[in-house]
Amino acid sequence: MIAEGRVALNGVVLDTPATILTSLAGVTVDGEPVEAPAAARLFLYHKPPGLLVTERDPAGRPTIYDRLPEGLPRLVPVGRLDLATEGLLLLTTDGELKRQLELPATGVERAYRARAYGPITQEQLEELIHGVEIEGVRYGAIDANLERRTGANVWIELILTEGKNREVRRVLEYLGLKVSRLIRTRYGPFVLGDLPVGEIGEIKQHDVVAFRKDPTRKGGGEAPKLVEKPRPAGRGRINPNESTAPTSLPKPRPVRRITKATANRADKEAFAEPVRQAQPGRDPVVLTKATKVKRFYDAKPKAGTAAPVADTRPKRVFNPELGRNVRAKPPRDAKSAERTERPERAERAPNKSTPRTPGKALARPSKPRTVKTHKSRTRK
């Protein structure tokens, strides 16, 4: 642009880039004044496993830029996370801030939580504070602590300041452990916190300014503001790109209270057999609603229609001798009296087998009585 003569300072076209500028005041490009650079923006992204931290992949594997919402400015990642590693990934719009965060000389800490399989002791982890050399590569001090152990699986927290390629995995494999999960939880003063997986949030501007003044400070200030993803406009949602004002949403209907009566009525309606209507030309018989069958206890005689029923119960009269009511005897005529009269009882004939003798009856000989005097002795 300078060689083409498009850049000027205070109206004088520049012919060399070796020009010292104290500010952008008076600098123009094609006659238009140059605007002041925008403030650096910093974003937190909860990277899920299975995404590459690159703009494009020749093998066609998914990248973080395929999952970021639309409408964001051009972002560059601060450092990298490998394909299987998840957790906090910083994205920024400023290359100078990116370099400040990545340099080991800045002393920005990175915190990881690793789940590994194998035997390990706290004493072995404490030896990493002095650094370790693996296959000719020197790794700096690592503050490692054993969080908890579940059988042969252990959770280890590691804090380091260099962040070399696959540093955590190589150091733990050097100690005989097999890493099954690796999560970055903190980068400098910025903490992952409760940021959902796959979501992105922007750091407050005053927290970014405070970090640039003191990169080694602790604490990340306020929680990041989540970046809302654009919602599809074809499912009854409001499109932010449309200029029309959003319509008022309908009020929610009141919740209907279900009582025992309404529940019973709904059950009857659900299990009731439908009455099929007769179709002309197909059904010769017309279906009608069945009448209710009356039981004997439902029938009630109408007034004036039923004949009087004669009372067949026997009458009762008062008996002065007994002092109470007794059943009255019906009158009898002569024929019924002759038919129902019982003959006189005949004199009983004497028994021929046992002749009777006048006088005192003969006494029968009695059997000798047995008197018990003791358990083992008896006396007659």
Side-chain angles (χ1 to χ4, degrees):
M1 294 171 65
I2 293 175
E4 295 173 358
R6 299 173 58 188
V7 183
L9 176 61
N10 298 326
V12 180
V13 178
L14 299 179
D15 56 357
T16 173
T19 304
I20 298 176
L21 299 178
T22 57
S23 67
L24 294 177
V27 180
T28 60
V29 177
D30 298 333
E32 298 291 336
V34 178
E35 297 181 357
R41 301 173 65 181
L42 187 62
F43 294 83
L44 299 180
Y45 178 58
H46 192 160
K47 175 190 172 299
L51 297 181
L52 289 175
V53 184
T54 182
E55 189 174 356
R56 62 181 60 89
D57 181 53
R61 292 174 293 181
T63 66
I64 59 172
Y65 293 99
D66 298 334
R67 304 294 177 86
L68 293 178
E70 298 179 359
L72 293 175
R74 181 180 179 275
L75 300 176
V76 290
V78 178
R80 294 182 182 274
L81 295 177
D82 57 13
L83 183 66
T85 306
E86 55 186 298
L88 177 60
L89 178 65
L90 294 181
L91 302 170
T92 181
T93 59
D94 188 80
E96 183 181 358
L97 178 60
K98 165 184 166 67
R99 187 61 176 166
Q100 184 182 10
L101 286 166
E102 289 178 345
L103 278 177
T106 309
V108 180
E109 294 182 347
R110 292 92 157 162
Y112 295 85
R113 293 184 70 244
R115 183 179 67 185
Y117 176 83
I120 192 68
T121 61
Q122 181 63 32
E123 290 75 13
Q124 292 177 282
L125 295 176
E126 290 177 356
E127 293 295 330
L128 298 176
I129 200 65
H130 306 294
V132 62
E133 184 175 350
I134 303 173
E135 298 180 357
V137 179
R138 180 68 184 179
Y139 296 99
I142 299 177
D143 184 10
N145 295 291
L146 186 64
E147 286 189 350
R148 69 173 183 269
R149 184 191 304 273
T150 306
N153 293 314
V154 291
W155 279 96
I156 304 173
E157 182 185 12
L158 302 99
I159 300 176
L160 50 118
T161 56
E162 285 188 349
K164 293 181 180 178
N165 184 25
R166 300 179 62 86
E167 179 175 355
V168 175
R169 294 181 181 273
R170 289 180 178 177
V171 169
L172 293 181
E173 289 175 0
Y174 173 77
L175 296 178
L177 300 176
K178 184 177 181 181
V179 180
S180 58
R181 189 177 181 186
L182 184 60
I183 309 170
R184 181 194 280 173
T185 59
R186 182 171 62 88
Y187 199 111
F190 309 110
V191 184
L192 181 63
D194 298 331
L195 187 66
V197 179
E199 297 292 335
I200 185 171
E202 185 175 3
I203 301 296
K204 302 293 182 180
Q205 191 58 228
H206 60 269
D207 290 332
V208 178
V209 174
F211 166 75
R212 304 190 75 166
K213 292 180 181 179
D214 184 12
T216 58
R217 71 184 183 93
K218 303 294 183 181
E222 299 180 8
K225 181 182 178 181
L226 295 181
V227 178
E228 296 183 359
K229 297 182 180 180
R231 300 176 180 179
R235 299 184 180 179
R237 296 178 178 177
I238 300 172
N239 189 355
N241 298 326
E242 296 180 358
S243 59
T244 57
T247 57
S248 59
L249 298 177
K251 296 182 179 180
R253 295 182 180 180
V255 180
R256 184 181 177 184
R257 185 180 179 184
I258 300 177
T259 60
K260 186 177 181 180
T262 56
N264 293 338
R265 183 164 57 252
D267 292 343
K268 290 182 180 179
E269 293 177 358
F271 292 98
E273 296 182 0
V275 179
R276 185 170 64 86
Q277 301 295 334
Q279 299 180 2
R282 292 185 179 182
D283 296 335
V285 181
V286 179
L287 300 178
T288 58
K289 188 177 181 181
T291 58
K292 183 180 179 181
V293 180
K294 292 185 178 181
R295 272 68 173 183
F296 66 91
Y297 46 77
D298 294 335
K300 295 182 180 180
K302 297 182 179 180
T305 57
V309 181
D311 189 8
T312 57
R313 294 179 300 177
K315 298 182 179 180
R316 305 179 71 85
V317 297
F318 181 74
N319 190 347
E321 296 180 358
L322 300 177
R324 58 185 177 83
N325 293 334
V326 296
R327 185 179 298 178
K329 296 180 180 180
R332 296 185 301 175
D333 49 358
K335 293 183 180 181
S336 61
E338 292 177 0
R339 188 169 54 254
T340 57
E341 185 178 2
R342 296 176 63 183
E344 293 183 1
R345 188 173 181 179
E347 186 176 357
R348 187 175 181 180
N351 193 359
K352 296 181 180 180
S353 59
T354 55
R356 283 188 180 180
T357 55
K360 191 176 180 179
L362 297 175
R364 295 180 180 179
S366 59
K367 295 181 180 181
R369 293 180 62 186
T370 304
V371 181
K372 293 183 180 181
T373 57
H374 197 261
K375 291 184 179 180
S376 58
R377 299 181 181 177
T378 56
R379 182 173 59 86
K380 292 184 181 179

